[in-house]
Amino acid sequence: MNITGNYIAGKICFSSSNETLPVYDPATGQAVREVTQSSKQEVQEAIAVAHAAFDSWSRTTPLRRARILFKFKSLLEQHSDELAALIVSEHGKVWSDAMGELTRGMEVVEFACGIPHLQKGEFSSDVGSGVDSYSLMQPLGVVAGITPFNFPAMVPMWMFPIALACGNTFVLKPPALAPSAAVKMAELLSEAGLPDGVFNVVHCGNDQAEPLCSDPRIQAVSFVGSSAVAEHIYKTASAYGKRVQAFGAAKNHAIVMPDADLEATVNAIMGGAYGSAGERCMALPVVVAVGDETADKLIARLTPLVQALKVGPGCLRGSEENEMGPVVSRAHQQKVLGYIDKGVAEGAQLVVDGRNFTPAGYEEGYYVGGTLFDNVTPEMTIWKEEIFGPVLSVVRARDYDSALELVNGHEFGNGSAIFTSNGHAAREFVHDVQAGMVGVNIPVPVPMAFHSFGGWKRSVFGDLNVHGPDGVRFYTRMKTATVRWPAGQQTVSEFSMPTLG
């Protein structure tokens, strides 16, 4: 069976321990490959390689770095089918969703190609007599990324294109459940002309990854995953003096107003709730309907659509493509089914039951059918916790203010949306909702690459978000120079604070 290896110093290599983990195809439940598992010492060796490559790469001109990224984007396009096939076989999402993931990732590469403009800094002439002042946006050094299973290509591309464009070197720890796309991207970076050691991929367990948070050669850590782990990484890496952006769980909500376009809203909710089997940090698992009449109409429209979802393997394309694939693993399947059980036990009305669902011929796959709950209340576990599966909860609120209070009372504040035909209500919602990303008649309000992605509250730990302007700020540090040349030299000693003006 093929083994997915590390990618260090420009080549694929395997752990000297010969330890591997199986990688399963969620559609079939069968192992399709193995992934090497590195020791803590081998992680440190990857950091050392990146550290040795930093000086030369940081001194490479921004324009030359951008040209490598331009070539990398072209290679991503040429190899998109191969990358999508890896994503489908390891994550389980349907083909068009895998291609969409690659497209959104490549948009960040496009943004990073503008680094000569984005890294210009500032200049002020004559801040004093014969004195100029200017700023430099310089790279940090070696930076690390720890990424989740649900977007094995896009989430790394939130991080490393900007980090590399800014002159940093990178060590990436991909997820064990979906490790192979990261290695393929590393190979394409080398083919694009990236020097050996600038971008490295190392597969390991959480304990073995500890140097990514503690090694003094690592200057910054980017993480996407659960809130508990995000908080741990933020506290640990920050204690070692590192910059951290750590993104955690989400429980995104959509308020549906009585004046919403019902057909368009239902279609949007279906994609937001069940796309990628709900395994998105920007999924839409909760609808807060304003008024019982609105809720009744939504349930009536949603029920037959959820029942009719085409669920099956993600490898089919075109007219045969399924709308939803399996969840990522057997353990996660059992976790999602447990949440459905909990919802029933706590009194939610189960309108469509996705338990005991198996597509013909795929009895060993990790499937959960589309599930719909009504009359969910804030006391219930399925309201409080991130399910990360194809489970949609409808909550009933008597008016807009009550709906907003419910949404803002949740511990997570990643994304939120409103569906309405009223411009005033939409404007008030955008202003008042306590979430980092907001949609108006858009179910999954993921910002474009030239804006920054990030939530509020326990959905994020750290001050700077990914990609966009925040991404450039995160991967650079400002240095300000104040300069006077010999013709303007002072002729007497001055012992008070210089004012220059």
Side-chain angles (χ1 to χ4, degrees):
M1 185 174 290
N2 291 335
I3 300 176
T4 296
N6 296 327
Y7 195 87
I8 299 172
K11 63 180 183 296
I12 291 176
C13 55
F14 302 95
S15 172
S16 60
S17 70
N18 294 320
E19 182 182 351
T20 62
L21 289 177
V23 180
Y24 294 95
D25 181 345
T28 64
Q30 302 300 309
V32 290
R33 59 186 60 87
E34 297 176 337
V35 58
T36 194
Q37 290 295 285
S38 304
S39 66
K40 184 178 292 187
Q41 180 180 351
E42 288 169 325
V43 174
Q44 291 170 325
E45 290 169 0
I47 295 170
V49 167
H51 182 69
F54 172 70
D55 185 64
S56 175
W57 179 244
S58 66
R59 293 177 182 273
T60 301
T61 63
L63 186 57
R64 290 185 178 180
R65 298 196 296 255
R67 287 170 179 163
I68 290 172
L69 288 174
F70 272 117
K71 178 64 173 175
F72 174 58
K73 179 181 177 295
S74 176
L75 290 169
L76 286 171
E77 293 168 341
Q78 294 172 37
H79 292 267
S80 59
D81 278 7
E82 182 180 354
L83 281 161
L86 289 172
I87 294 167
V88 170
S89 71
E90 295 181 350
H91 174 273
K93 64 180 64 178
V94 299
W95 184 266
S96 62
D97 195 28
M99 294 297 287
E101 169 181 347
L102 291 170
T103 298
R104 294 306 300 264
M106 285 188 282
E107 288 167 358
V108 182
V109 180
E110 287 179 326
F111 173 75
C113 288
I115 201 63
H117 166 71
L118 300 169
Q119 209 173 351
K120 285 191 299 189
E122 302 166 338
F123 182 88
S124 294
S125 177
D126 295 318
V127 297
S129 179
V131 178
D132 301 326
S133 187
Y134 62 91
S135 62
L136 307 173
M137 298 175 69
Q138 295 188 315
L140 305 177
V142 184
V143 298
I146 303 171
T147 55
F149 69 79
N150 61 324
F151 287 101
M154 185 187 75
V155 170
M157 282 194 277
W158 282 357
M159 302 171 185
F160 73 77
I162 298 175
L164 299 181
C166 290
N168 302 281
T169 55
F170 205 97
V171 178
L172 173 65
K173 178 196 174 300
L177 292 171
S180 301
V183 178
K184 182 60 184 179
M185 291 191 293
E187 292 180 305
L188 296 180
L189 281 166
S190 291
E191 186 177 344
L194 191 73
D196 293 348
V198 173
F199 182 75
N200 307 276
V201 179
V202 61
H203 306 283
C204 63
N206 292 337
D207 291 342
Q208 289 72 33
E210 183 270 337
L212 298 179
C213 292
S214 63
D215 192 295
R217 294 168 294 188
I218 296 286
Q219 301 299 309
V221 181
S222 300
F223 171 84
V224 177
S226 70
S227 286
V229 179
E231 185 174 19
H232 170 75
I233 286 177
Y234 175 73
K235 289 180 177 178
T236 302
S238 295
Y240 283 97
K242 306 181 191 313
R243 289 189 182 183
V244 187
Q245 48 181 198
F247 299 89
K251 192 73 174 181
N252 307 314
H253 310 85
I255 293 177
V256 178
M257 300 293 288
D259 61 8
D261 181 322
L262 191 61
E263 183 175 357
T265 298
V266 167
N267 289 332
I269 291 170
M270 287 294 298
Y274 301 107
S276 198
E279 293 176 318
R280 296 170 174 164
C281 63
M282 289 298 289
L284 188 60
V286 181
V287 168
V288 182
V290 175
D292 284 335
E293 183 179 355
T294 303
D296 291 342
K297 290 179 180 178
L298 283 173
I299 292 294
R301 294 286 192 97
L302 286 167
T303 298
L305 295 177
V306 178
Q307 292 170 332
L309 275 169
K310 289 176 61 180
V311 183
C315 57
L316 303 178
R317 308 191 200 181
S319 61
E320 296 183 349
E321 184 178 65
N322 290 302
E323 294 169 315
M324 193 176 82
V327 296
V328 73
S329 69
R330 179 74 68 199
H332 191 60
Q333 178 195 43
Q334 295 306 308
K335 181 180 179 181
V336 174
L337 294 174
Y339 275 114
I340 300 174
D341 293 341
K342 180 78 76 170
V344 173
E346 293 182 352
Q349 179 186 350
L350 184 57
V351 180
V352 182
D353 189 350
R355 297 172 295 183
N356 302 314
F357 175 87
T358 305
Y362 293 90
E363 288 75 15
E364 299 302 315
Y366 312 139
Y367 293 93
V368 179
T371 299
L372 176 63
F373 278 105
D374 191 10
N375 291 299
V376 175
T377 64
E379 297 77 27
M380 296 177 181
T381 303
I382 59 173
W383 161 269
K384 295 176 183 177
E385 297 182 12
E386 182 181 45
I387 299 174
F388 224 59
V391 180
L392 175 62
S393 297
V394 174
V395 182
R396 295 171 180 244
R398 65 181 181 274
D399 53 33
Y400 169 77
D401 289 337
S402 301
L404 182 65
E405 184 178 355
L406 281 170
V407 172
N408 285 346
H410 204 281
E411 66 172 323
F412 300 129
N414 199 50
S416 196
I418 188 169
F419 290 88
T420 181
S421 298
N422 186 308
H424 175 72
R427 189 175 188 277
E428 290 296 298
F429 177 77
V430 171
H431 184 270
D432 292 336
V433 71
Q434 295 176 19
M437 293 167 284
V438 186
V440 175
N441 299 317
I442 292 176
V444 185
V446 179
M448 295 296 290
F450 39 86
H451 289 275
S452 296
F453 177 107
W456 286 14
K457 297 190 280 189
R458 284 188 57 80
S459 292
V460 66
F461 299 86
D463 297 324
L464 292 171
N465 294 324
V466 290
H467 60 66
D470 265 14
V472 177
R473 295 185 191 104
F474 182 77
Y475 289 119
T476 59
R477 51 187 162 199
M478 187 73 74
K479 178 184 289 181
T480 303
T482 304
V483 179
R484 171 186 281 151
W485 289 102
Q489 285 280 28
Q490 62 193 62
T491 57
V492 296
S493 298
E494 297 177 356
F495 298 98
S496 59
M497 173 64 72
T499 58
L500 298 180

